[in-house]
């Protein structure tokens, strides 16, 4: 028996929004420690790693580890039927082939049940090595989303270069070039609005805008985003979901073509 | 061409070995394209109002049109193609080639009849059957490819065999052909529908040899025997033994020698002088060029050269050709997207445990779909 309950289903809705553009379907691994998801997009360029810790739920019970393969578009349809302040309960029997979502309105006067068929999905678990990153940037998530959106109008690739002066985002395309430079903030009054750079050595990497724009769909989950980069390893974009866990995106860099 | 009913058999017993995906997911991959196969496709398919495209003096140019635009399509999707051309056919193929010649003669007769009767649909049908890739087609295609900066390889013998060794050696990611015997030659990955026109919206079929062997519980040699039993280009097969029976026999007896010992030869008479051993030898050790000696280089296209070759006599529109070349040049600039699998190791892959019973449940459905899947096969 698996049961997980969240008083506000808004978070869950946001999580879905944050992954459904990259993944069509995904396997949620439920265990005592929480709900986990790890999946690559179809072209194997990016990876989503989601962790929702069991102690972040208002009620959580998982007798046996189960894996639930879900179609995210269908799941999203179901969550569209719920209000943000509804309480959501996710239930499944061990070895079940359906999952139940129950939404209770705030005043408890309305209860809706949705059953969804589970899917059998091929799963590939990737081992992600622990990396000491050359630079770790923390910045307001909305700012990062804005930069990705603005610059993606100019070109397909975004160059992120991080030095001790700050972070430079740049792109070039048919109409010309665009550059945005962000400096570390000195004022620490509002942590949420600050930009901090933890730099071991300068790094410059190129990424496909398209994927970054998918990642920034997670912006509503967290006021801050953390970008971790090292030469020749994938970028990690992390959003902390307050009290519940995190969502991390990994993105393989674009590399310069060697002579074939 | 290829192995009789292998696709259908695989869809039945090893569905996990066949994946479908979009062409754009193959960015950055080097792919060996079976040139004879795709030239043939182009000759059949690239037509305007049912007739092949021709130059001013009536020479066909459909193959050049195909090579030019479909190669650009591959490049635009980030794929690096290398075309592999057939060399001399193996002696053992003479039987098969003879049969094809016979069929062609029949088609010619039928065509004459249809022409007399003035039946256009029939004329169209039989002219298509008469299509064959000539030496001149090959030479022209090679010339165009080198002008476009695309590498090609002349196989000493069968192109599929050459593609297979190139895949095995890691020179390229996969063989792109419709011909299933690339798998018999040991190509670890086979891509089908790669050079189909975009308009057909056919998903790419990616077939993995290791998954086939795993699902069928065979090793490569047994798989070769299975293919011979199903029916290959090099020798006849036993009448009355279909795919189902073939796989059961190989699973049970492991080799053709043993199969022959155990089957009732009066009921299933093997062909006279059945040369299965030679066919097996051909699949196991085909005549190929050592992949290590092949250097693959994708170079800058020669715009003026291509224009000179295609426009003028061959009646290609200069504007469109130049646009095409621009597209090639564009694909050469900029950086390439890498894949996460290059950085992270796959720890485990679980083809969900319930999958097996599920497949059984759905098998009746699946079979229905298969008829459709088989349509991709060439009528040859």
């Amino acid at each position: 028996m698996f049961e997980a309950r969240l008083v506000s289903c808004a978070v869950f809705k946001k999580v879905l929004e944050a992954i459904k553009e990259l993944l069509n379907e995904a396997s949620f691994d439920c265990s005592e420690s929480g709900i986990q998801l790890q999946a690559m997009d179809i072209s194997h360029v990016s990876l989503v790693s989601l962790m929702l810790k069991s102690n972040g739920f208002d009620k959580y019970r998982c007798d046996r580890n189960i894996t639930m393969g879900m179609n995210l578009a269908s799941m999203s349809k179901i969550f569209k039927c719920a209000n943000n302040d509804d309480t959501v309960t996710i239930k499944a029997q061990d070895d079940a082939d359906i999952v139940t979502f129950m939404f209770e309105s705030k005043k408890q006067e309305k209860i809706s049940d949705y059953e969804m068929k589970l899917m059998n999905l091929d799963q590939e678990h990737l081992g992600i090595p622990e990396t000491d990153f050359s630079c770790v940037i923390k910045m307001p998530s909305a700012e990062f989303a804005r930069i990705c959106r603005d610059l993606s109008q100019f070109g397909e690739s975004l160059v992120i270069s991080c030095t001790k002066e700050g972070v430079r985002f740049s792109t070039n395309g048919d109409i010309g070039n665009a550059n945005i430079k962000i400096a570390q903030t000195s004022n620490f009054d509002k942590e949420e609005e600050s930009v901090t750079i933890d730099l071991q050595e300068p790094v410059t990497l190129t990424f496909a805008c398209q994927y970054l724009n998918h990642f920034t769909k997670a912006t509503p989950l967290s006021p801050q985003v953390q970008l971790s980069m090292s030469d020749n390893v994938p970028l990690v974009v992390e959003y902390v979901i307050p009290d519940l866990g995190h969502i991390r995106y990994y993105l393989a860099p674009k590399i310069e073509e060697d002579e074939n | 061409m290829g192995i009789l009913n292998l696709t259908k058999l695989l869809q039945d017993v090893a569905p996990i070995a066949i994946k479908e995906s979009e062409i754009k997911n193959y960015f950055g991959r080097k792919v060996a394209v079976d040139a004879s196969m795709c030239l043939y496709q182009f000759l059949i398919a690239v037509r305007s109002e049912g007739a092949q495209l021709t130059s001013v003096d009536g020479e066909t140019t459909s193959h050049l049109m195909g090579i030019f635009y479909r190669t650009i399509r591959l490049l635009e999707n980030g794929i690096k193609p290398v075309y592999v051309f057939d060399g001399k056919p193996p002696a053992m193929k003479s039987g098969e080639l003879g049969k094809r010649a016979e069929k062609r003669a029949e088609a010619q007769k039928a065509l004459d009849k249809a022409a007399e009767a003035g039946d256009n649909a029939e004329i169209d049908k039989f002219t298509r059957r008469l299509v064959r890739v000539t030496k001149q087609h090959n030479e022209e295609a090679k010339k165009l490819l080198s002008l476009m900066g695309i590498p090609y390889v002349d196989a000493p013998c069968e192109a599929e065999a050459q593609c297979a060794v190139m895949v095995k050696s890691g020179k390229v990611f996969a063989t792109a052909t419709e011909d299933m015997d690339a798998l018999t030659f040991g190509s670890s990955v086979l891509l089908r529908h790669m050079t189909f026109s975009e308009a057909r919206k056919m998903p790419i079929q990616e077939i993995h040899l290791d998954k086939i062997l795993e699902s069928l519980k065979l090793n490569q040699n047994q798989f070769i025997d299975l293919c011979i039993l199903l029916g290959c280009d090099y020798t006849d097969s036993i009448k009355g033994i279909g795919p189902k029976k073939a796989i059961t026999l190989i699973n049970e007896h492991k080799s053709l020698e043993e199969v022959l010992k155990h089957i009732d030869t009066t009921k299933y008479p093997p062909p006279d002088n059945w040369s299965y051993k030679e066919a097996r030898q051909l699949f196991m050790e085909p005549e190929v060029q050592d992949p290590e000696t092949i250097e693959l280089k994708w170079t800058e296209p020669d715009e003026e050269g291509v224009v000179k070759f295609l426009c003028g006599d061959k009646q290609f529109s200069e504007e469109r050709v130049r646009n095409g070349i621009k597209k090639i040049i564009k694909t050469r600039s900029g950086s390439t997207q890498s894949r996460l699998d290059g950085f992270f190791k796959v720890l485990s892959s679980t083809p969900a445990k319930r999958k097996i019973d599920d497949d059984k449940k759905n098998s009746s459905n699946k079979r229905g779909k298969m008829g459709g899947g088989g349509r991709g096969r060439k009528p040859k």
Side-chain angles (χ1 to χ4, degrees), chain A residues 42-47 67 95-97 120-129 208 232-234 250 252-257 260, chain B residues 16 21 25 27 30 80 296-299 334-341 343-355 358:
Chain A
I42 190 160
S43 56
H44 290 199
V45 170
S46 66
L47 178 135
T67 298
D95 271 335
D97 47 15
N120 291 305
L121 302 173
D122 289 339
Q123 263 190 300
E124 267 187 343
H125 271 282
L126 289 185
I128 299 162
N232 282 320
V233 297
Y250 295 82
K254 285 188 153 192
I255 40 180
E256 279 313 311
E257 192 84 2
N260 295 310
Chain B
I16 195 171
S21 81
N25 294 333
F27 60 83
K30 293 175 185 170
K80 295 176 154 189
L296 301 178
K297 269 215 155 98
W298 288 263
T299 53
S335 43
T336 338
Q337 177 66 54
S338 56
R339 280 189 173 74
L340 278 179
D341 347 25
F343 298 98
F344 302 151
K345 282 248 149 50
V346 177
L347 288 183
S348 64
S349 53
T350 352
K353 64 176 190 323
R354 279 170 294 168
K355 186 140 193 156
D358 206 59

Side-chain angles (χ1 to χ4, degrees), chain B residues 12 24 34 58 94 96 120 122 127 136 149 167 196 225 234 236 255 285 292 296 321 334 358:
Chain B
D12 264 336
K24 63 168 197 261
D34 177 354
S94 56
E96 169 72 18
N120 282 331
E122 288 287 293
T127 34
Q136 196 198 347
V167 178
F196 279 21
D225 280 5
Y234 307 117
D236 294 322
S255 75
E285 285 166 23
E292 294 313 317
L296 301 178
V321 169
D358 206 59

Side-chain angles (χ1 to χ4, degrees), chain B residues 61-133:
Chain B
T61 55
S62 290
H63 57 300
L64 296 174
M65 182 73 123
I67 288 272
F68 188 66
Y69 289 109
R70 306 262 167 100
T71 305
I72 290 175
R73 177 167 174 245
L74 294 180
L75 291 170
E76 279 192 305
N77 282 291
I79 297 163
K80 295 176 154 189
V82 42
Y83 285 82
V84 181
F85 287 86
D86 269 329
K88 60 170 185 356
M92 291 197 62
K93 210 172 178 175
S94 56
E96 169 72 18
L97 292 179
K99 270 186 223 158
R100 285 186 203 169
E102 252 169 56
K103 279 196 188 140
R104 204 169 287 128
E106 269 169 41
Q108 181 67 53
K109 263 185 228 153
L111 174 64
D112 295 341
K113 216 189 245 167
E116 237 167 77
D119 184 341
N120 282 331
E122 288 287 293
I123 293 178
D124 192 40
K125 185 166 134 199
F126 289 110
T127 34
R128 276 171 208 243
R129 282 201 195 160
L130 278 174
V131 166
R132 58 181 302 194
V133 180

